[in-house]
Amino acid sequence: MVIPVHDVNPVRRTPVVTYALIGVNVFVFFFMPGLSGSVAGDSTLVQTCNLHAFLEQYAAVPTELIHHQLPQLVPTGDARDGGCVLGPPGYDKSPELSVLTAMFLHGGWLHLLGNMLFLLIFGNNIEDRMGHLRFALFYVACGYAASYGFALLNADSTDPLIGASGAIAGVLGAYLVLYPKARVWVLVPFLIFLPLRLPAWLVLGSWFVLQAVYSSGEGVSEAGTVAYAAHIVGFLAGMLLAWPLKPGTPPPPEPGGLLFGRRARPRQTW
């Protein structure tokens, strides 16, 4: 609906945890086996089988989280007769730990860049308000809440669940609670990308409503390919965890000027 590019909400300290999370996500993405070919659209069967085997080991699988039963046969990474070879798993997998590893796996460039953009814009202020350690714990807690919430709603699903979206949704929920009046620069696709400065409650509230609509299957052709329900659970978890911090949170600076165009600039306060 809109693409956020910047918020008018300065921070007091360097968001080292936010930067570290972005760095780790990008690093892991480049070393996921078989992903380079899938991104380019020319994956070989071996590359695809390697990727499936990797995800089977490190991604969170709803049925494993709920029933705590691992499959007897998994992709081995080998290819034969036009398909992926299955065999007994040669590793011990912890479903609980897989939720953490899955937070740093992404299925493509758009998936990665979209998540990192939202984390960069909104994560720094939440880290600034919570502090480095509490923010790191908050991020992980929202990711776990999102994964287990999705698993409870899809207990028999064997599809791998990957991505930082659930944890980042928690960051968005916290931002909505703590800084609803902060102004956010967004690009609105209307013939061209129109720059607008909108209140955070409108940007993030609209995002949440879209996730709810998409989760119901409305407006998308294949709702099952994206875990929209995980986004909703993560967002609500972030709101709940951030609510106790709301009374002591200073308001963001009130920008002056227009809400769009080059002349829109925040008013300087000293």
Side-chain angles (χ1 to χ4, degrees), residues 128-151:
D128 186 58
R129 180 66 183 90
M130 293 184 174
H132 305 309
L133 179 58
R134 282 202 296 177
F135 175 71
L137 296 175
F138 165 84
Y139 181 90
V140 173
C142 289
Y144 267 83
S147 294
Y148 272 96
F150 180 84

Side-chain angles (χ1 to χ4, degrees), residues 29 32 35 38-39 51 55 105-112 162-163:
F29 178 80
M32 286 180 63
L35 192 59
S38 65
V39 171
L51 180 58
L55 293 179
L105 307 179
H106 291 83
W109 280 105
L110 290 179
H111 191 199
L112 173 71
I162 61 173

Side-chain angles (χ1 to χ4, degrees), residues 222-257:
E222 296 183 6
T225 60
V226 179
Y228 292 109
H231 301 175
I232 295 174
V233 175
F235 191 92
L236 295 176
M239 292 185 67
L240 181 64
L241 292 174
W243 200 268
L245 299 176
K246 183 176 177 61
T249 302
E254 181 67 26

Side-chain angles (χ1 to χ4, degrees), residues 29-136:
F29 178 80
F30 278 109
F31 285 91
M32 286 180 63
L35 192 59
S36 59
S38 65
V39 171
D42 59 353
S43 296
T44 66
L45 180 58
V46 173
Q47 289 175 325
T48 301
C49 293
N50 281 333
L51 180 58
H52 287 174
F54 179 83
L55 293 179
E56 186 65 40
Q57 182 175 358
Y58 294 106
V61 180
T63 187
E64 296 176 1
L65 297 179
I66 300 303
H67 303 297
H68 213 275
Q69 294 179 347
L70 302 180
Q72 295 181 348
L73 296 177
V74 298
T76 63
D78 298 323
R80 184 185 304 161
D81 299 328
C84 296
V85 177
L86 300 180
Y91 50 83
D92 293 325
K93 179 180 180 180
S94 168
E96 294 82 9
L97 185 59
S98 70
V99 176
L100 180 62
T101 56
M103 290 185 203
F104 297 94
L105 307 179
H106 291 83
W109 280 105
L110 290 179
H111 191 199
L112 173 71
L113 295 179
N115 277 344
M116 296 305 101
L117 176 64
F118 275 82
L119 179 58
L120 179 64
I121 294 173
F122 300 105
N124 59 345
N125 291 105
I126 305 305
E127 181 178 351
D128 186 58
R129 180 66 183 90
M130 293 184 174
H132 305 309
L133 179 58
R134 282 202 296 177
F135 175 71

